[in-house]
């Protein structure tokens, strides 16, 4: 659940802070090294079990992707750099951008 929370923050606010993905990757690298040490030195081997899918996490990831499209589009349209270059009203541009981006993920 900690990884999904981090994924949500990174994708939802990627347009505001692009460096968040690099910081998250560095954090995950350090966390994997710590978990690897704990698994190899402090614990015993677990028995692997087969699963058909990732379960509810897949649905949550799809929701976060669609939410991030809306949040990033809204943040881009509210930035001063982007709104000066628009030929349409911001509301129309928001709907066009959101519909075109969500159609990519269906």
């Amino acid at each position: 659940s900690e990884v999904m929370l981090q994924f949500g923050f990174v994708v939802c606010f990627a347009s505001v802070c692009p460096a968040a993905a690099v910081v998250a990757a560095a954090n995950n690298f350090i966390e994997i090294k710590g978990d690897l040490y704990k698994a190899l030195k402090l614990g015993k081997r677990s028995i692997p079990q087969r699963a058909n899918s990732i379960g509810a996490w897949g649905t949550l990831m799809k929701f976060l992707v669609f939410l991030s499209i809306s949040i990033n589009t809204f943040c881009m349209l509210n930035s001063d750099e982007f709104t000066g270059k628009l030929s349409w009203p911001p509301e129309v541009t928001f709907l066009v951008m959101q519909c075109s981006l969500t159609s990519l993920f269906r």
Side-chain angles (χ1 to χ4, degrees):
S1 65
E2 177 184 336
V3 175
M4 288 304 293
L5 183 65
Q6 185 182 51
F7 174 75
F9 280 126
V10 169
V11 297
C12 286
F13 301 106
S15 63
V16 178
C17 183
V22 176
V23 173
N27 175 47
N28 288 342
F29 180 75
I30 293 169
E31 191 170 332
I32 286 172
K33 290 293 185 182
D35 291 344
L36 186 63
Y37 174 77
K38 286 191 291 187
L40 292 176
K41 302 291 183 188
L42 304 177
K44 65 178 189 174
R45 183 176 176 165
S46 61
I47 300 171
Q49 296 178 353
R50 184 173 301 273
N52 293 332
S53 68
I54 60 173
W57 294 112
T59 307
L60 181 62
M61 288 179 81
K62 282 183 182 179
F63 172 74
L64 285 174
V65 167
F66 287 116
L67 181 68
S68 70
I69 289 171
S70 299
I71 290 174
N72 285 317
T73 306
F74 182 75
C75 289
M76 283 176 34
L77 288 176
N78 284 329
S79 71
D80 292 334
E81 296 175 11
F82 192 76
T83 53
K85 300 175 185 174
L86 293 177
S87 57
W88 296 341
E91 294 83 13
V92 174
T93 308
F94 176 76
L95 289 174
V96 169
M97 287 177 68
Q98 186 175 8
C99 291
S100 62
L101 289 172
T102 47
S103 67
L104 293 175
F105 291 101
R106 290 193 181 236

